[in-house]
Amino acid sequence: MVRAVYPGTFDPTTNGHMDVIRRASALFDEVIVGVLCNSQKSPLFSVEERVNILKEVTKDLPNIQVRSFEGLSVDFVKDCDAQIILRGLRAITDFEFELQMAQTNRVLAPHIDTMFLTTSLEYAYLSSTTVKEVAMFGEDISKFVPPYVAEKLNEKMKNVR
Ligand code: ADP
């Protein structure tokens, strides 16, 4: 059985993340989406909110689980008894950082491999940061995120604005 972990911040989940999750769900027996609880970043959504959003938007995919984690991705992957770290590659700008991470993780845990899914072209420009910026100015974000995320993001922005 091949189990992959897809780690990230997911603040919030975009259609780009969903594309990777759907494709991974067809490729691996099990996929655990790992939501990073990073005390050095100050995300808009709490880790519980990000986990709940992901659970809701992946509920039609039976082999997807969502869990939060703290610390190093490789330790979480070991904890999940998984063999693969899955990451998305949007553009060449992602490449250098991702390569460095993958090679560091390889030294830390040689039995765990990093695999990349290249983004579908229609989502290549999408990032959680730009979606939050657009939402902050009250613009329509329905093309960027699943409807449930749009609802939660618009609610959140009402309180932030
Ligand atoms: P991180 O802080 O770990 O980069 P993100 O939530 O921004 O967390 O991203 C998690 C993973 O999803 C990363 O591998 C990232 O490259 C990938 N990703 C982000 N946006 C997209 C997108 N639009 N299409 C495909 N993959 C994406």
Side-chain angles (χ1 to χ4, degrees):
M1 194 183 75
V2 186
R3 185 180 291 140
V5 168
Y6 178 36
T9 311
F10 305 102
D11 185 41
T13 305
T14 66
N15 288 340
H17 296 129
M18 289 307 293
D19 175 56
V20 171
I21 292 171
R22 272 198 210 95
R23 286 156 64 203
S25 141
L27 286 170
F28 302 105
D29 298 303
E30 264 182 46
V31 180
I32 298 170
V33 183
V35 181
L36 179 63
C37 180
N38 183 346
S39 51
Q40 264 144 42
K41 279 191 179 178
S42 36
L44 181 65
F45 289 93
S46 70
V47 71
E48 292 80 17
E49 288 172 322
R50 284 177 278 143
V51 165
N52 288 338
I53 286 174
L54 270 159
K55 282 188 176 162
E56 176 63 29
V57 295
T58 59
K59 66 181 183 204
D60 59 325
L61 298 167
N63 60 344
I64 303 287
Q65 285 178 46
V66 185
R67 287 174 55 183
S68 63
F69 74 101
E70 283 181 69
L72 291 176
S73 295
V74 275
D75 290 333
F76 178 61
V77 176
K78 283 184 205 160
D79 199 44
C80 293
D81 205 13
Q83 303 90 334
I84 288 164
I85 300 180
L86 180 68
R87 297 283 290 173
L89 275 182
R90 278 167 291 191
I92 198 77
T93 43
D94 282 340
F95 183 77
E96 199 162 325
F97 172 74
E98 291 295 341
L99 184 67
Q100 191 181 25
M101 284 285 298
Q103 286 173 339
T104 306
N105 288 337
R106 187 154 194 79
V107 174
L108 292 173
H111 59 288
I112 295 171
D113 265 312
T114 302
M115 288 181 71
F116 297 99
L117 281 180
T118 51
T119 310
S120 300
L121 273 182
E122 69 257 51
Y123 305 123
Y125 65 93
L126 262 182
S127 76
S128 299
T129 306
T130 52
V131 171
K132 281 183 283 193
E133 230 166 77
V134 173
M136 175 85 93
F137 290 99
E139 287 294 329
D140 179 18
I141 48 168
S142 61
K143 290 196 176 77
F144 308 139
V145 295
Y148 183 76
V149 178
E151 199 183 297
K152 293 287 159 198
L153 190 50
N154 286 330
E155 255 172 43
K156 183 71 89 180
M157 285 304 171
K158 269 189 213 141
N159 303 326
V160 171
R161 262 186 240 129

